[in-house]
Amino acid sequence: MMNWNDVISYANNGSPAPEKEIRKSEKEWRDQLTPEQFRITRKKGTEVAFSGELCHVHEEGKYKCVCCDTPLFDSSIKFDSSSGWPSFTEPIVKNAIKYKKDVSLGMTRVEAMCNTCEAHLGHVFPDGPKPGGLRFCINSESIKLLKN
Ligand code: FE
């Protein structure tokens, strides 16, 4: 199970290589996505807390990247963090997520991106549940649930 030291190491030294990489032009992403999906995933936006439709979804399945369909999180590791955003304790596989140091807004945080297409997903924090202690705080607009 991953912990905060792994996250910091990936953010500082590079994330594990993805299975494949998908790159598209800004126009291609804009044509494919809704305006809100585009703003969040391609422009590193954030949805308003508690606004996301996946906040209170607890059905079983896999959460995939809204841009490239790569599975990112399993519903079994979703938890209610009361933060207002869907929260997960770890990625579905180790190389699903790309980690990047983010010093915007006067804070030092770790950004979580799709490792396949570099969609902005949200941020990772070290205040999640034991044993891993991670909280992946993810915008609903960045992911979609594929029900089991
Ligand atoms: Fe993706």
Side-chain angles (χ1 to χ4, degrees):
M1 174 168 275
M2 281 181 61
N3 62 31
W4 185 241
N5 285 338
D6 298 321
V7 170
I8 294 296
S9 175
Y10 290 152
N12 286 335
N13 308 319
S15 302
E19 294 297 313
K20 60 176 178 177
E21 291 191 348
I22 293 174
R23 298 292 180 266
K24 294 185 182 181
S25 70
E26 186 161 317
K27 179 176 186 318
E28 286 174 303
W29 287 127
R30 201 185 284 276
D31 288 347
Q32 175 188 328
L33 301 167
T34 69
E36 186 71 347
Q37 288 167 346
F38 179 81
R39 181 182 74 84
I40 291 171
T41 61
R42 310 319 310 186
K43 296 295 177 186
K44 302 191 189 302
T46 302
E47 68 199 16
V48 175
F50 300 104
S51 71
E53 63 174 296
L54 296 177
C55 261
H56 300 293
V57 168
H58 294 286
E59 289 164 284
E60 289 182 11
K62 289 180 173 58
Y63 288 89
K64 304 169 94 178
C65 175
V66 77
C67 293
C68 76
D69 284 333
T70 300
L72 301 174
F73 303 100
D74 191 273
S75 62
S76 63
I77 44 95
K78 189 172 189 283
F79 71 102
D80 190 355
S81 71
S82 307
S83 69
W85 292 277
S87 300
F88 302 88
T89 54
E90 62 179 351
I92 197 163
V93 289
K94 206 182 221 179
N95 65 351
I97 303 293
K98 180 177 237 173
Y99 304 86
K100 192 176 169 205
K101 191 188 277 188
D102 174 9
V103 294
S104 65
L105 306 178
M107 295 178 272
T108 300
R109 296 179 293 173
V110 175
E111 179 189 0
M113 286 182 284
C114 171
N115 206 10
T116 302
C117 78
E118 296 188 324
H120 172 75
L121 305 173
H123 291 87
V124 193
F125 299 97
D127 58 8
K130 289 181 184 339
L134 297 179
R135 172 170 63 97
F136 288 76
C137 183
I138 304 299
N139 289 287
S140 286
E141 292 282 346
S142 299
I143 52 176
K144 57 188 173 189
L145 176 62
L146 184 73
K147 293 176 194 168
N148 282 349

